[in-house]
Amino acid sequence: MKRKLRRAAIRCGLFALAGTLVYLALHGTDIGAVMSALLQADWLWLLPLGVITMTSHVLRAWRWQVLLFSVEKRRISLWNTFCALMIGTMTNYALPRVGEVVRTAHLAGREDMAFSSVLGTVVVERVLDVLALLAGLLISLAVVGDDVKDLSSQFSWELPTLPILGALLLAAGLTALFVIRARTSPFWSAWLDSFRQGLRSAHRSSHPWTLVGTTGVMWFFYVLMAWIPLVMLDMAGTYDLSLADAMAIMFFGAVGVAVPLPGGVGSFHYITRVVLVILFGVDISIAVTYAVLVHGGQLILYVVVGATVLAAHGLSFSQLLRRARESRAS
């Protein structure tokens, strides 16, 4: 009972935080201008945007397949891997980070694999993405240059000392907590074992450059996914935004998505608004329009594809969550 109450309190807190950030993102916005900008967008770009988005997920599924091969020593179906990935992505929009457990359980069941082995590869996948995100943020800081000082004042931060020190202290505290809990909790111990298995799978992989290459191309596609909406809304021409600027916008926005809120709601919108307005001089309403278009478009696409896969596999969302809980408990 205490665990359920604690989980409910955490979820309520997260939704409250998301609501606060949504309010901050929309504060001072002309809703009429947002609707007008959406109506005037060049929607012909929607098709290539959708193709690039789905191709990036095929690449992610292929990268996952390479990691799985090093564990199972047999080729796992790329189709099953892709389907599990899309189901997990859809789930993350409702239940942050639960999607990783859901896609692990789904693929493990369809391919007759151990849950812990699949989970280990998912953990390594996330490590690769974190490294790519950190590298991208460093490159983005070089792109925006001195404008970062203006961004820091918006958040009332003193760069670079305070964020770096805070991040290091937070990372150290979370690491210490994880180690302590891993020694006493079967759940955390299982995650730690999965992480070790995943690292071994990456180390034993016979295609390390495939992992690196797919990660690089995948994140380049993410940059294109950030740039095309700039063209759709005529922001690229009006505000002279280049592909390099789109890269900076994407990587800063990815920090918002990484926040454990439902689908990055609020955090993505607020960070994207601040970056566009402070760093690139974009009008507030247009900046919010861009954030809504990018986030809303991806939400619709992932939910439609994920729900279609679930229906094709004869599963409901509740059955999927129950299977994930049973797999994690076993």
Side-chain angles (χ1 to χ4, degrees), residues 134 137 157 159-175:
L134 292 176
L137 285 173
W157 285 346
L159 289 177
T161 306
L162 185 57
I164 293 177
L165 180 60
L168 289 175
L169 290 175
L170 179 61
L174 290 175
T175 302

Side-chain angles (χ1 to χ4, degrees), residues 163-207:
I164 293 177
L165 180 60
L168 289 175
L169 290 175
L170 179 61
L174 290 175
T175 302
L177 178 62
F178 178 79
V179 172
I180 293 172
R181 292 290 300 273
R183 292 180 177 179
T184 58
S185 169
F187 173 74
W188 286 107
S189 180
W191 273 88
L192 185 58
D193 289 340
S194 297
F195 179 66
R196 290 169 178 166
Q197 290 182 33
L199 288 181
R200 285 195 293 268
S201 71
H203 178 70
R204 292 196 304 262
S205 176
S206 58
H207 303 284

Side-chain angles (χ1 to χ4, degrees), residues 21-98:
L21 291 173
V22 168
Y23 169 78
L24 291 174
L26 297 178
H27 182 67
T29 302
D30 184 349
I31 302 300
V34 172
M35 297 303 298
S36 177
L38 288 174
L39 291 174
Q40 295 175 18
D42 187 355
W43 292 101
L44 291 177
W45 282 95
L46 203 60
L47 179 58
L49 178 59
V51 171
I52 290 173
T53 301
M54 297 312 299
T55 302
S56 71
H57 281 75
V58 173
L59 286 170
R60 181 178 286 277
W62 181 26
R63 185 184 67 173
W64 192 16
Q65 184 190 45
V66 172
L67 286 170
L68 290 164
F69 180 80
S70 62
V71 174
E72 289 292 300
K73 301 304 179 185
R74 64 182 174 91
R75 186 170 296 279
I76 305 301
S77 167
L78 180 62
W79 174 248
N80 284 340
T81 306
F82 173 78
C83 289
L85 177 64
M86 296 312 301
I87 289 173
T89 303
M90 176 190 67
T91 304
N92 276 333
Y93 273 88
L95 302 170
R97 304 300 172 259
V98 175

